[in-house]
Amino acid sequence: MNATRRAALLAAAALSLATLAGCAQTPAPTPTTTDAPTVAPVPSASPISVDEATQAATAMMTEYLHTTRSAEEWWQAVKLFLSQQAAYLVKGTSPTRIPTATITETRPLPGATDVSVVVAIDTTRGTYTLTMRRIADDGNTHNAPWLVDEITYPEGTH
């Protein structure tokens, strides 16, 4: 490589390094607390809301555990209580594969809000945990029905 070309390459490399070094030394702007949007806390659920969510969870599990029907009859009864997400996960379940069980106790778990209540449903085969949510297409969750959005199954029953 000739000396002129080597000098030109070294000069270009030095210029590139100087440019990059200048970029690296520029500090990023420090975010301020006013940059972040504030979100109002979700209010705790009223006793009536908790009761409504618990009743809906119990009704869903009553239908879910009624496994002597045809798969289509079972699905038509169960899907009425499910959010779109839960319906996607439960659809195609064969009721003949659900262990026979009876509900023994239903209780809401602590931490209920106006839009989410977790309900534990004890059965003779273990405890199912249903996350009930008020889901409204129009965004007005106050009068929306309680739907099962998530199901946690007892070990060995799903």
Side-chain angles (χ1 to χ4, degrees):
M1 180 180 298
N2 69 27
T4 306
R5 186 167 179 187
R6 180 181 286 175
L9 286 174
L10 287 174
L15 180 60
S16 293
L17 284 175
T19 302
L20 289 174
C23 291
Q25 293 174 357
T26 305
T30 305
T32 62
T33 56
T34 58
D35 292 341
T38 56
V39 178
V42 177
S44 296
S46 69
I48 292 171
S49 287
V50 173
D51 286 345
E52 290 171 348
T54 302
Q55 289 173 11
T58 304
M60 186 282 198
M61 281 307 298
T62 299
E63 297 297 339
Y64 185 86
L65 294 172
H66 187 186
T67 59
T68 57
R69 298 176 283 193
S70 73
E72 183 59 29
E73 291 171 327
W74 176 86
W75 173 244
Q76 291 302 319
V78 170
K79 77 177 184 178
L80 299 174
F81 299 97
L82 304 175
S83 70
Q84 186 176 13
Q85 171 182 297
Y88 175 78
L89 297 172
V90 173
K91 188 174 178 132
T93 299
S94 172
T96 60
R97 298 194 54 151
I98 299 170
T100 302
T102 304
I103 296 173
T104 58
E105 182 182 1
T106 302
R107 64 190 184 290
L109 298 179
T113 68
D114 268 349
V115 295
S116 180
V117 176
V118 179
V119 179
I121 301 188
D122 297 327
T123 71
T124 52
R125 298 289 285 199
T127 302
Y128 290 82
T129 306
L130 280 61
T131 301
M132 307 298 294
R133 292 211 169 85
R134 286 187 188 255
I135 300 172
D137 293 336
D138 63 2
N140 182 9
T141 58
H142 183 68
N143 293 320
W146 287 102
L147 298 174
V148 176
D149 199 42
E150 296 175 32
I151 303 171
T152 303
Y153 299 87
E155 190 172 319
T157 62
H158 187 231

